[in-house]
Amino acid sequence: MADGMLSLSWNNHRATFCHILATLREKERYTDVTVACEGKFYPVHKLVLSTCSEYFEKIFENTPCKHPVIVLKDVNRCDLEALFCYMYEGAVSVAQSNLGRLIKAAEVLRIKGLAVPDEPPISDRRTASSHHHHSSDDRSSPHPKRRRREENSHSHQGRSQSSPSPPSSPRPSPLHDGGDSHPAQRSRSDSQWGDHGATDREDGGMDGVADDRLGDHSTTSHSAPTPPQVEVMVDETLVKEEMIDQGDTGQEDMMDSGMDYGSVGSDSRLEGSAGGGGEEDHMLPGKYEPKANPSQQAIPEAVVEALAGPSGMQTWLGGGEMPSGFSGLEGYTGSEGGQDLHPPSQAPAAHQLVERETNCQWTGGRRARRDWQGLTSASRVHQCPHCSYNTTFIHNLKRHILRHTGEKPFTCPHCSYSTARKDLLKEHINTHTIEMPYSCPYCPYSTTHQYILQRHIRIHTGEKPYVCSYCSFRASCKTSLNSHLLSHKCEEGKDDM
DNA sequence: CAGCAGGGGGCGG
DNA sequence: CGCCCCCTGCTGT
């Protein structure tokens, strides 16, 4: 060693590195590839995938686009999440009963250390053997350490109690999982997103039923694991929707069955603000910071654009305009609760998968009312890929999808409030400026919100539009009626007893 | 009863 | 796309 040379060693380099990597994935920062599996999108980093799998490396080599989307078939979503955890953190906890399946998935993906022997980087060892020994040796085994990891608390503390994550997957991090929740008091939103995310997470739990598709693989002897069916598409390519003309009934099915991509939204966080959880994600109080990850928007945007196609028909991720060699997102299925996204020919069966009233908390009541008004489902042609919401106006769909993506570009200059809609921000700002644009014609009362005024005016007019269906009770506001209805419920309960 | 956030419908530019 | 409208749900007084 030359004289005067000092060896600077970062003792916690590995731990810090892994933690930051995991955090970056969690926050979907700098992700440059999206892996789609069973209807979920996982924004991850090429670097990490390439590092952990030559198979992925090869894919990226042959896919020079900026942000490819890799559609994995024959890989269970839970396994994939576990593998991501493994790749990012170097370890993952997995139920013994699921180990075989996980290893199978690792084999088809050629994950180093799990399915492929992990050769330590020789050159590195040569040059830095003195201080790397502790960090390189534990990765050289094809069998990972299997230990229980409880320190998942850094992600999603907010929802942890209501939605236990799968043991192997501290942070599934599906695309648009709910994104940036807002620290401001958002009890309702939080719970909404939280529920959403909880449902989703439960669905994705490791103790779920083993995926049959993978099960097939598991039963075969594995001399040379067959690569998974992978489809790569570039985000520059519009996801084209194909017309699914199933008549009215088909459309009804389409609408009633929810698409569940996971907590999209959520922070599911998508939270978003709606997200409930993940306050730690909130880094930009007071001003809008575009999401660092373009992919986060890429897919929904693409979907939206596709939805705007001239046909105006419900369409989905068919393969019509895929680059040659790619057949489309056949593997892009709704989660177990959602719809399989199949080419049109297979669509009808796919839409029967689920009968969730609505996966989207925001649409249910409204939708019902609209249907009463005779606006039948058949007339709504723009279908949200995340939930059962659909609308005749592409503009509305774009706005709606913001709820799933969690994007909130409009931020209040006076507080940390942010929203996806400019008009909502405008109303919110009124609460700061004490501007009361809505004045009561009957009294000096004025308020910040139009509907509040309307509600108030009913006091003067005596209008009671909310009628009890059990008795002659009428109320001027919905809340009063709801309270009243509770009394009927109580009476029913007594009668039952 | 009011305050507030935020959902969707839909019109007009 | 901006904006307005109507509405729901939750919360607090």
Side-chain angles (χ1 to χ4, degrees):
Chain A
M1 186 177 286
D3 64 342
M5 293 296 288
L6 296 177
S7 174
L8 301 179
S9 153
W10 182 355
N11 289 337
N12 295 322
H13 177 272
R14 179 173 167 265
T16 304
F17 217 75
C18 288
H19 176 70
I20 291 178
L21 269 182
T23 303
L24 288 177
R25 181 168 81 101
E26 194 174 310
K27 295 180 177 177
E28 299 175 7
R29 292 277 168 84
Y30 315 127
T31 54
D32 49 6
V33 58
T34 297
V35 177
C37 178
E38 294 189 325
K40 284 211 170 191
F41 292 156
Y42 301 92
V44 287
H45 303 87
K46 287 180 186 175
L47 178 67
V48 174
L49 266 55
S50 300
T51 301
C52 300
S53 163
E54 290 182 2
Y55 185 71
F56 278 117
E57 189 180 2
K58 286 275 194 299
I59 291 176
F60 300 142
E61 279 178 7
N62 294 299
T63 312
C65 60
K66 241 181 353 184
H67 193 116
V69 177
I70 299 178
V71 181
L72 290 181
K73 297 176 175 181
D74 301 333
V75 173
N76 184 288
R77 193 182 73 193
C78 301
D79 294 336
L80 183 64
E81 290 170 0
L83 288 176
F84 282 149
C85 181
Y86 173 79
M87 287 189 273
Y88 275 82
E89 302 184 28
V92 67
S93 300
V94 57
Q96 220 159 5
S97 56
N98 294 330
L99 179 61
R101 205 184 59 194
L102 180 68
I103 296 296
K104 270 295 175 193
E107 284 175 348
V108 297
L109 295 175
R110 315 273 207 274
I111 304 298
K112 293 176 186 173
L114 273 178
V116 176
D118 181 20
E119 301 290 341
I122 296 176
S123 58
D124 274 12
R125 286 173 83 103
R126 257 202 311 256
T127 59
S129 59
S130 62
H131 51 270
H132 275 200
H133 63 281
H134 68 284
S135 61
S136 57
D137 54 4
D138 60 352
R139 286 288 150 262
S140 58
S141 165
H143 300 291
K145 291 180 181 178
R146 289 157 201 159
R147 58 193 153 91
R148 182 158 189 84
R149 290 171 57 98
E150 297 294 345
E151 66 277 25
N152 299 333
S153 58
H154 61 280
S155 61
H156 302 295
Q157 307 106 310
R159 295 168 219 280
S160 57
Q161 78 249 20
S162 63
S163 59
S165 4
S168 62
S169 173
R171 183 16 173 152
S173 178
L175 191 58
H176 310 149
D177 184 35
D180 40 7
S181 69
H182 214 282
Q185 73 300 5
R186 281 238 186 6
S187 56
R188 180 169 70 107
S189 303
D190 286 356
S191 65
Q192 285 178 333
W193 283 110
D195 293 344
H196 195 65
T199 301
D200 199 70
R201 235 169 297 287
E202 285 162 11
D203 291 347
M206 287 294 285
D207 35 10
V209 180
D211 189 320
D212 289 339
R213 286 169 290 183
L214 209 93
D216 292 345
H217 281 275
S218 308
T219 57
T220 64
S221 70
H222 57 57
S223 45
T226 50
Q229 297 183 53
V230 174
E231 293 164 356
V232 182
M233 46 181 295
V234 298
D235 59 355
E236 293 86 354
T237 303
L238 273 190
V239 181
K240 248 332 204 196
E241 47 177 24
E242 288 290 336
M243 180 181 124
I244 301 175
D245 190 4
Q246 310 168 48
D248 287 347
T249 52
Q251 291 218 348
E252 295 281 357
D253 290 346
M254 181 80 160
M255 292 206 333
D256 290 341
S257 59
M259 300 284 292
D260 186 352
Y261 288 14
S263 348
V264 179
S266 97
D267 209 353
S268 22
R269 131 215 236 350
L270 225 237
E271 3 260 327
S273 57
E279 294 186 0
E280 75 281 9
D281 284 352
H282 187 75
M283 306 176 54
L284 20 132
K287 74 181 168 71
Y288 169 56
E289 178 183 279
K291 295 256 179 188
N293 173 18
S295 74
Q296 191 159 12
Q297 283 297 94
I299 303 227
E301 286 295 331
V303 170
V304 169
E305 293 302 330
L307 286 167
S311 69
M313 307 297 265
Q314 294 199 19
T315 56
W316 187 232
L317 305 168
E321 299 204 1
M322 294 294 176
S324 63
F326 300 121
S327 61
L329 287 166
E330 294 174 350
Y332 181 81
T333 64
S335 62
E336 60 303 332
Q339 300 160 304
D340 277 345
L341 302 175
H342 288 287
S345 60
Q346 303 171 22
H351 297 327
Q352 298 170 0
L353 286 183
V354 182
E355 187 76 34
R356 275 191 203 165
E357 213 310 275
T358 168
N359 283 336
C360 178
Q361 310 88 327
W362 311 298
T363 57
R366 190 86 184 177
R367 292 277 317 290
R369 190 169 62 254
R370 300 298 303 183
D371 286 347
W372 290 347
Q373 296 173 359
L375 296 175
T376 64
S377 326
S379 65
R380 318 192 155 272
V381 294
H382 297 296
Q383 172 77 45
C384 174
H386 303 291
C387 70
S388 59
Y389 171 74
N390 59 29
T391 177
T392 51
F393 298 94
I394 186 68
H395 170 53
N396 289 342
L397 177 58
K398 287 181 177 180
R399 185 177 60 187
H400 166 88
I401 285 180
L402 287 178
R403 304 309 311 155
H404 291 293
T405 65
E407 186 189 16
K408 298 191 160 196
F410 301 101
T411 302
C412 175
H414 306 292
C415 72
S416 60
Y417 169 82
S418 63
T419 179
R421 287 169 55 172
K422 193 176 181 179
D423 53 341
L424 295 181
L425 175 62
K426 185 179 161 189
E427 270 197 314
H428 165 83
I429 288 178
N430 285 341
T431 67
H432 291 295
T433 60
I434 318 183
E435 188 179 337
M436 304 288 189
Y438 306 104
S439 299
C440 175
Y442 302 98
C443 74
Y445 173 80
S446 60
T447 182
T448 56
H449 287 67
Q450 185 188 35
Y451 190 72
I452 292 175
L453 176 61
Q454 292 177 347
R455 200 169 54 181
H456 165 84
I457 287 178
R458 288 187 201 130
I459 298 170
H460 297 291
T461 63
E463 185 188 3
K464 295 186 175 182
Y466 300 99
V467 183
C468 175
S469 53
Y470 299 98
C471 68
S472 59
F473 177 83
R474 301 176 72 96
S476 61
C477 69
K478 186 73 180 300
T479 308
S480 300
L481 177 60
N482 288 341
S483 302
H484 170 78
L485 287 174
L486 283 178
S487 65
H488 284 296
K489 291 265 163 57
C490 291
E491 289 176 3
E492 284 180 9
K494 288 176 183 174
D495 293 343
D496 293 343
M497 294 175 62

